Amino acid sequence: MLNFTVGPVMASDTVRVIGAEQVPYFRTPEFSEKMLENERLVLSFAHAPKDSRVVFITGSGTASMEATVMNVLTPKDKALVINGGSFGHRFVQLCEIHDIPHDEINPVPGHDITDEDLARFDNKGYTALLVNVDETSTGVLYDIRRISRFCKRNGMLLIVDSISSFLCDPFDMEALGADVMITGSQKALACPPGISLIVLSPRAISRVMDNKVKSMYFDLQDALKNGERGQTPFTPAVGILLQINQRLKEIEAKGGVDAEIKERQMIASDFRRRIKDLPLEIFSHSLSNAVTPLHPVHAKAYDVFTILKDEYQIWICPNGGDLRDRVFRVGHLGALTLQDNETLCHALHDLVRRNLL
């Protein structure tokens, strides 16, 4: 199968080889060294401020979203959540579950946040803003610089779910004043699902250390303490962490985060150029390099997903809910090539020939 979803994505041969190896015992200096290297490289690629830390959670991206809400925020906060799709809504749900007072900004689906959207909340006592910077359910990349300016002038924490956009779109934690950046193993890191990462700025670490969270597994104080020696409080997904180590070193060897982003941009731009003559409309007005959301003009989106999967052995990414029959998504993550783009576009043209698109 050729995989154009947004996660899990296609992995390099070297990463896949590690997945076939015997998982080693992990309470060793050798594994700790790998973990400390993982932290160093993630901090570098995120442009994290000095004295930032990384926590590795064995769980999906939602696990790290929840751990962040639990550990960084308290009921004394007043949060603002950008809710423009299913993943933005997840932050709303987490605030509700953990009794964090909050309000929502609801941009039009497929559209970026505007200065006017944010200005309504100036000087209203908000202490934190939570955003899924690449709302992959609609394919919108929010203008994080605009959001950063809003947070800075209001003295707010900035908590960013960058699960899909990390290593795909430019992101400088220090310049943006971002306090938390969350990502996951199965997106641009191109490893199996099972590990999510939380990058914490010094201000966020201070928040964590002052909080008393009622959780054993999601206690970030414990995670940070264990991380000092390159370990986790409980048994992690050891094999995936070793695959992440391989992948991070591959990125470093090929020129670092800027080179990786350039490659994602090249793959995405090539695909978008190839589909200009097809009966497909790009759904988002603000695109990430990670994904292209497409509305088929003459067909149901889910039908296109099913036919490509069953008849062409190609996975694209379907949608659910109201967008199920309106939008499918084509990811540009992982070990994809320009030749892979050509294969997918040939299949789409064949669907047109068959009057199925």
Side-chain angles (χ1 to χ4, degrees):
M1 296 289 286
L2 188 56
N3 187 351
F4 284 91
T5 70
V6 290
V9 302
M10 295 177 68
S12 68
D13 290 343
T14 51
V15 167
R16 290 164 57 207
V17 164
I18 292 171
E21 294 177 353
Q22 175 63 46
V23 176
Y25 182 62
F26 65 101
R27 299 296 191 197
T28 64
E30 291 80 9
F31 184 74
S32 292
E33 184 178 339
K34 297 283 189 183
M35 289 294 287
L36 292 170
E37 186 175 37
N38 285 350
E39 181 174 40
R40 175 183 66 80
L41 290 169
V42 169
L43 290 173
S44 173
F45 295 165
H47 301 290
K50 183 182 178 182
D51 297 325
S52 296
R53 295 286 306 282
V54 182
V55 170
F56 298 87
I57 299 286
T58 296
S60 70
T62 303
S64 282
M65 292 170 72
E66 181 157 28
T68 296
V69 170
M70 292 171 64
N71 286 264
V72 177
L73 302 179
T74 75
K76 294 181 181 179
D77 281 297
K78 184 180 178 183
L80 191 59
V81 182
I82 297 178
N83 178 9
S86 59
F87 295 103
H89 180 63
R90 198 161 296 179
F91 266 139
V92 173
Q93 291 174 296
L94 289 168
C95 286
E96 291 172 349
I97 290 168
H98 295 288
D99 299 318
I100 307 299
H102 63 281
D103 290 307
E104 302 175 36
I105 300 178
N106 303 107
V108 176
H111 290 259
D112 193 5
I113 201 82
T114 67
D115 286 320
E116 291 74 19
D117 292 330
L118 293 168
R120 296 186 295 113
F121 297 93
D122 273 321
N123 305 311
K124 297 290 180 64
Y126 291 96
T127 59
L129 184 144
L130 297 85
V131 60
N132 174 276
V133 67
D134 176 12
E135 177 53 75
T136 46
S137 66
T138 59
V140 172
L141 180 70
Y142 295 119
D143 187 338
I144 192 63
R145 291 171 298 179
R146 175 180 289 131
I147 293 168
S148 168
R149 291 192 296 269
F150 168 77
C151 289
K152 286 178 177 179
R153 69 176 179 259
N154 285 279
M156 299 165 63
L157 291 163
L158 176 54
I159 296 172
V160 182
D161 167 358
S162 187
I163 292 172
S164 293
S165 64
F166 179 58
L167 301 175
C168 292
D169 305 296
F171 189 86
D172 187 322
M173 262 188 90
E174 184 166 25
L176 294 167
D179 295 284
V180 179
M181 190 206 77
I182 303 165
T183 193
S185 57
Q186 78 277 22
K187 303 291 187 175
L189 277 171
C191 293
I195 292 289
S196 52
L197 301 79
I198 308 171
V199 184
L200 299 163
S201 74
R203 183 163 68 158
I205 293 170
S206 178
R207 280 283 194 126
V208 169
M209 302 311 292
D210 289 341
N211 202 352
K212 294 189 181 296
V213 65
K214 291 186 177 181
S215 175
M216 178 178 287
Y217 196 76
F218 287 148
D219 184 351
L220 295 190
Q221 288 187 23
D222 196 12
L224 287 167
K225 182 178 179 181
N226 278 270
E228 291 174 1
R229 59 190 180 96
Q231 289 288 332
T232 56
F234 311 105
T235 303
V238 176
I240 299 173
L241 287 164
L242 293 175
Q243 288 174 300
I244 288 173
N245 183 257
Q246 174 65 32
R247 173 71 172 129
L248 291 170
K249 289 191 291 187
E250 285 179 0
I251 294 170
E252 183 180 44
K254 291 180 179 179
V257 63
D258 292 339
E260 180 66 21
I261 291 171
K262 186 177 180 180
E263 183 173 358
R264 291 308 107 211
Q265 184 181 40
M266 181 265 293
I267 294 289
S269 297
D270 175 76
F271 173 76
R272 291 163 189 166
R273 176 185 58 79
R274 291 175 185 267
I275 63 169
K276 285 185 176 180
D277 62 338
L278 289 169
L280 296 167
E281 296 176 347
I282 293 179
F283 186 73
S284 171
H285 293 262
S286 178
L287 290 169
S288 164
N289 294 322
V291 61
T292 301
L294 295 169
H295 167 61
V297 177
H298 306 304
K300 290 185 177 180
Y302 200 86
D303 289 346
V304 177
F305 158 73
T306 301
I307 295 168
L308 287 174
K309 173 176 65 72
D310 294 343
E311 299 183 28
Y312 295 84
Q313 289 71 56
I314 297 173
W315 282 318
I316 57 172
C317 207
N319 252 312
D322 294 339
L323 295 179
R324 182 181 188 273
D325 289 327
R326 294 176 57 202
V327 176
F328 65 80
R329 295 161 292 159
V330 174
H332 311 298
L333 307 173
L336 290 170
T337 66
L338 298 180
Q339 179 62 48
D340 294 329
N341 279 351
E342 184 176 344
T343 300
L344 173 57
C345 290
H346 182 271
L348 292 171
H349 278 94
D350 198 45
L351 292 185
V352 172
R353 181 187 62 80
R354 298 170 59 192
N355 294 318
L356 295 174
L357 180 62

